Amino acid sequence: AVMERIDYSKENDVVDIISSLVSQGIIEHRISRLIDVSKINKAIGVISAMITQNTRVLKEQQFMIRDKHSNLVESSKDDTKVMVQGIIDLVLIENGVATLIDFKTNKVADEDELINKYKLQIELYSKAITGATNARVDNKYLYSFYLNKLIKL
């Protein structure tokens, strides 16, 4: 909820954003006290450095894909049609090239654990972005708030 309200084109007061989410009933006050503002500010800084004035920023992009399972999952030989839907946290598009960033809060031992858990999800997101925007997805990332870093897939 916090990251979807970030405006990457200006300074953000994360404490004010959190307070607003609490007053709107989106985040409980007891939960808001657990949010590490410094980690959010670090994430904003890392992502803002990837954005230029020509970057199109898409947040919380809903998608739905209907295709053969084998077209969606490389290891599958199943031609059954399936429908996949989801919400992509952040997409940056510039000159027909997209960068996908998905935020994660999982407690994990290391990057590999996170990558293994979400690799298929990110591949599906990549296909959805290309289908919806015609942009080529060259960069795929997970941003781990637990590990406090951007992880390239």
Side-chain angles (χ1 to χ4, degrees), residues 127-144:
K127 289 177 188 210
I129 291 166
T130 299
T133 67
N134 290 321
R136 185 182 74 243
V137 180
D138 278 1
N139 302 296
K140 301 170 202 161
Y141 297 98
L142 297 172
Y143 191 95
S144 169

Side-chain angles (χ1 to χ4, degrees), residues 18 27-40:
I18 293 168
I27 296 177
E28 292 180 32
H29 180 70
R30 66 180 180 81
I31 299 296
S32 73
R33 291 181 294 180
L34 302 173
I35 298 172
D36 188 335
V37 172
S38 66
K39 287 185 175 184
I40 292 173

Side-chain angles (χ1 to χ4, degrees), residues 77-138:
K77 295 185 184 346
D78 184 353
D79 283 340
T80 303
K81 288 243 180 178
V82 296
M83 187 173 301
V84 179
Q85 64 181 19
I87 300 174
I88 303 168
D89 291 332
L90 184 63
V91 181
L92 310 175
I93 301 175
E94 190 166 338
N95 299 322
V97 178
T99 296
L100 162 66
I101 302 171
D102 200 50
F103 300 114
K104 299 298 178 193
T105 58
N106 310 52
K107 290 184 178 181
V108 291
D110 56 30
E111 293 178 22
D112 290 337
E113 181 181 345
L114 207 57
I115 290 169
N116 289 334
K117 184 170 185 164
Y118 291 105
K119 187 176 184 175
L120 175 58
Q121 176 186 341
I122 297 303
E123 287 305 316
L124 291 172
Y125 284 6
S126 179
K127 289 177 188 210
I129 291 166
T130 299
T133 67
N134 290 321
R136 185 182 74 243
V137 180
D138 278 1

